Amino acid sequence: MGKRVALVLGSGGARGYAHIGVIEELERRGYEIACIAGCSMGAVVGGIYAAGKLTPTSSGSKAWTIWTCCAWWT
C-alpha cells in the first residue's frame, strides 16, 4: 500500500507558488494525492493540479502562468 495524503491549500497569491513546490515534493517522495481542497489561490492551484494542468517544464519543475490559468477557466 502506497503513501496517500489529502492536501488542503490556503489562500495568498505568493503562497500559490509554494503550493506548487509542495505538490512537487510530495510526488517526488512517492506520495499519492488522493484528495485536494483549497481556498482562493489554493483553490486555483488545486483545481489546476486536479485537471492535470500542472505540467513539467524543461527544468523538471512544474510551472503555470496566469495566462494558462485564465485560459483554463474560460
Side-chain angles (χ1 to χ4, degrees):
M1 180 176 242
K3 301 177 277 187
R4 298 180 69 190
V5 294
L7 194 58
V8 179
L9 307 175
S11 61
R15 193 173 290 149
Y17 289 106
H19 294 328
I20 294 170
V22 168
I23 290 170
E24 286 179 333
E25 187 62 20
L26 287 170
E27 289 181 336
R28 189 183 71 74
R29 293 182 181 216
Y31 285 88
E32 173 192 355
I33 299 173
C35 179
I36 193 163
C39 65
S40 191
M41 183 56 92
V44 172
V45 172
I48 293 171
Y49 173 80
K53 299 293 184 178
L54 281 180
T55 57
T57 61
S58 58
S59 66
S61 66
K62 295 186 179 185
W64 59 278
T65 65
I66 195 65
W67 300 111
T68 303
C69 178
C70 292
W72 183 72
W73 287 110
T74 57

